[in-house]
Amino acid sequence: MGENLLDRVAGSPPLGGRITVARLLGSESLPLADLYERAGRVARWLRGRGIGPGDRIGILAANCLEWVVLDLAALRLKVETAGFEPGKFEPTAELTERYGITLLFTDRADAPGTVPMEEVRAVSEGGRPDTADGSAPLPPVTWGPRDVTTIKFTSGSTGEPKGLGATAGSINSSLAAVQEIFAHKPDDDLFVFLPLSLLQQRYWVYSALLHGHDVTISTYEAAFAALRRVRPTVVMGVPALYETAKRQIEARLARAKDGTGPAEAARAVFGDRIRYLWTGSAPANPDTLRFFTEEAGLPLYEGYGLNETCIVAKNHPGASREGSVGRVLPGKQVLIGDDGLVRVRSEYPVNTHYAYARPGDSERVFEPDGTVRTGDLGRIDEDGFLYILGRADDVIVLDNGKKVVVRPIEERMKADPAIAECVLFCPAQTELVAVVSPGSVPADRDAIAARLARTNAELSADERISRVVVADPPFSIDNGLLTSQYKPKRRQILAAHHTAVHDSTEGIHAP
């Protein structure tokens, strides 16, 4: 493979750049060189506590500077990390035993047997010289392509999260491919807000250390307040963020009396330095993509990837096609069978099996060479752009034998700002029923009914939605109906609205 980028992250001090942690009420910022020094102190401290190659530490905390420092310290010791998302996992002895955790770090004050993040901060700042193993140099480490750097967990949309060991080779390959197409430079500032327990969010920290640009870490709750303060050049987001931003921009336009246009209103939300916007992890609304790219002047590029594959395809400057998720990246090969199912083969696979899963899960997803059966339906056009048409298990078979792919129908419904999410079900295999999460509270039922009528007018008889159940309260992470990447959890949504979905008298009926 090419240059070992993770070895550079672990072993070479950065040449420039800053890291900022942006909260609702303020920000904390320091040079990446200082971040590197703090990670070194924590690495020596961990080594003094007997942590070394082959060990695994766990981190269960909200996004914070100490999260980043611990992750980098582990890289410098060739120690695995396991990132646990708060709310999905609890800091217990059972957790540490199940996942082979030597030390578990958490921001929970009431968690016995764990190491508090405050202690990590004290060590990183040099306030605990008695435990930091002095200034002894750290031994050099080499991450081989098949070495596992971290255990990452699936979003859990279909049950208990599966644990997957991510290899250094897959991370190196993704970092190199993304830098090749986006060319992040020292004057860039990459803004990320999803949990750092999701490995991809840490990629942008590694990128900053490699290329000397800035990186800002925030949270979803603080994202919009932080954007205006930080003024990033790149936002690493998910469709839900851009749907919310679009509503904010449209509200500003409705209030404006001075001829303000979409571009000016968008800069008021995102700042005035945006070079491009990144979206992935869930299908983006085509109208939202067009709004940002064409009306607001902020290019919004959609991509495709899974936990099991890393990033596979990405639209980018000079190679972007509406409706696609982009061209396949170097090091990846997309194979589409006669049944339309997408399989992904990687030069450097994430892995060839799950580290933690139910019996049979690995065999259903991974082929022996690491090729991943994605479960998605897709096609590739004559210019090499990949289109994802939906999930194979989201194909509904009606009692007349007609097969209906639900994703395009759901996307049509979501084109209206009154609908944030739409999930289709088929009770008794005779009619399509939509459960929608409203875009505002209280729900605009008239707008939802109008969208239902417009959508049905564009569909064949078998594809039409008979009625819509409006979720109250809307889908959220807190009520268990959205994953941490803001994807709808179909099984849980059906369970929560089972009675209404199966009762033909419930909901907004199609005219």
Side-chain angles (χ1 to χ4, degrees):
M1 64 184 301
E3 183 182 10
N4 193 323
L5 299 179
L6 277 186
D7 283 359
R8 272 184 54 196
V9 170
S12 301
L15 299 178
R18 300 184 68 84
I19 183 169
T20 299
V21 177
R23 306 180 182 89
L24 276 172
L25 300 179
S27 302
E28 175 183 15
S29 182
L30 69 154
L32 290 175
D34 289 358
L35 175 70
Y36 184 83
E37 289 300 318
R38 292 190 185 199
R41 293 189 193 107
V42 171
R44 289 189 290 273
W45 172 63
L46 290 173
R47 189 173 64 168
R49 297 192 62 162
I51 304 296
D55 289 325
R56 183 183 297 160
I57 63 170
I59 309 173
L60 199 168
N63 287 2
C64 60
L65 185 61
E66 292 69 45
W67 218 120
V68 177
V69 169
L70 276 170
D71 184 58
L72 296 177
L75 282 177
R76 295 180 69 172
L77 292 176
K78 204 170 183 181
V79 167
E80 291 182 22
T81 56
F84 299 106
E85 185 183 336
K88 190 174 291 183
F89 297 93
E90 293 296 324
T92 63
E94 181 183 0
L95 183 79
T96 59
E97 181 178 355
R98 177 176 185 186
Y99 294 111
I101 305 299
T102 305
L103 287 178
L104 178 62
F105 298 85
T106 182
D107 54 7
R108 287 273 295 272
D110 58 345
T114 64
V115 182
M117 290 303 232
E118 290 87 347
E119 189 169 352
V120 178
R121 174 172 283 267
V123 172
S124 72
E125 293 176 345
R128 291 282 304 277
D130 58 312
T131 60
D133 195 18
S135 58
L138 293 168
V141 299
T142 298
W143 286 96
R146 296 185 180 181
D147 291 335
V148 170
T149 74
T150 191
I151 302 295
K152 58 179 180 176
F153 295 91
T154 64
S155 60
S157 60
T158 57
E160 185 173 345
K162 296 184 282 289
L164 178 67
T167 60
S170 68
I171 297 171
N172 281 329
S173 178
S174 293
L175 287 172
V178 169
Q179 181 63 15
E180 180 179 335
I181 60 177
F182 284 109
H184 298 127
K185 298 179 176 64
D187 57 353
D188 274 316
D189 184 352
L190 276 59
F191 184 93
V192 298
F193 62 89
L194 292 178
L196 290 168
S197 54
L198 303 170
L199 175 61
Q200 173 132 352
Q201 308 314 302
R202 288 174 259 162
Y203 281 14
W204 314 122
V205 177
Y206 305 159
S207 175
L209 290 162
L210 288 167
H211 305 295
H213 60 73
D214 295 346
V215 61
T216 297
I217 308 295
S218 188
T219 63
Y220 195 92
E221 293 75 19
F224 287 106
L227 281 168
R228 292 186 290 273
R229 294 198 312 266
V230 174
R231 298 172 56 242
T233 63
V234 179
V235 177
M236 301 294 180
V238 290
L241 176 88
Y242 300 113
E243 295 289 347
T244 301
K246 181 172 179 284
R247 290 193 289 272
Q248 289 188 14
I249 294 167
E250 289 170 338
R252 286 177 178 271
L253 291 173
R255 295 193 301 267
K257 301 183 185 301
D258 57 359
T260 297
E264 292 81 6
R267 285 197 293 271
V269 173
F270 284 95
D272 58 359
R273 297 203 307 143
I274 292 296
R275 181 158 75 88
Y276 76 90
L277 306 173
W278 169 302
T279 186
S281 84
N285 187 314
D287 285 347
T288 300
L289 293 169
R290 282 191 293 270
F291 175 81
F292 280 101
T293 301
E294 299 175 10
E295 296 183 42
L298 304 180
L300 176 54
Y301 296 115
E302 186 173 15
Y304 172 72
L306 308 173
N307 266 316
E308 294 81 358
T309 63
C310 285
I311 183 171
V312 173
K314 187 71 182 177
N315 285 295
H316 58 90
S320 182
R321 182 159 295 178
E322 184 175 331
S324 81
V325 293
R327 284 189 173 133
V328 177
L329 296 185
K332 302 292 183 184
Q333 182 182 10
V334 170
L335 310 170
I336 299 180
D338 294 339
D339 54 4
L341 287 172
V342 175
R343 294 158 59 239
V344 175
R345 181 175 295 153
S346 303
E347 183 178 4
Y348 297 100
V350 175
N351 215 306
T352 59
H353 61 278
Y354 293 113
Y356 300 95
R358 296 170 300 185
D361 279 352
S362 288
E363 292 75 11
R364 280 190 286 272
V365 173
F366 295 96
E367 296 178 8
D369 66 348
T371 297
V372 174
R373 305 180 185 98
T374 67
D376 289 320
L377 300 169
R379 66 178 180 88
I380 295 180
D381 70 13
E382 65 280 2
D383 295 319
F385 286 89
L386 174 64
Y387 296 76
I388 299 299
L389 307 178
R391 295 285 298 168
D393 54 6
D394 292 339
V395 174
I396 289 175
V397 182
L398 302 176
D399 60 356
N400 62 3
K402 172 71 175 180
K403 293 182 179 180
V404 177
V405 181
V406 300
R407 175 177 162 181
I409 304 172
E410 293 168 347
E411 292 301 320
R412 288 173 187 263
M413 290 290 287
K414 287 169 58 181
D416 194 295
I419 299 173
E421 290 291 349
C422 174
V423 182
L424 284 178
F425 300 102
C426 188
Q429 306 304 116
T430 56
E431 63 171 347
L432 296 181
V433 177
V435 179
V436 304
S437 182
S440 61
V441 178
D444 187 340
R445 297 178 69 88
D446 290 340
I448 293 172
R451 171 56 61 177
L452 172 62
R454 286 195 295 271
T455 298
N456 279 344
E458 300 169 348
L459 299 171
S460 68
D462 287 320
E463 294 173 320
R464 290 172 189 153
I465 301 168
S466 66
R467 54 193 171 88
V468 171
V469 174
V470 180
D472 184 16
F475 308 160
S476 70
I477 294 175
D478 290 342
N479 64 23
L481 301 184
L482 293 178
T483 72
S484 59
Q485 297 184 64
Y486 297 87
K487 300 178 187 177
K489 295 184 177 182
R490 292 178 181 271
R491 183 183 301 175
Q492 289 86 336
I493 291 167
L494 178 59
H497 299 280
H498 185 273
T499 299
V501 167
H502 286 83
D503 185 344
S504 61
T505 66
E506 290 283 339
I508 300 171
H509 288 70

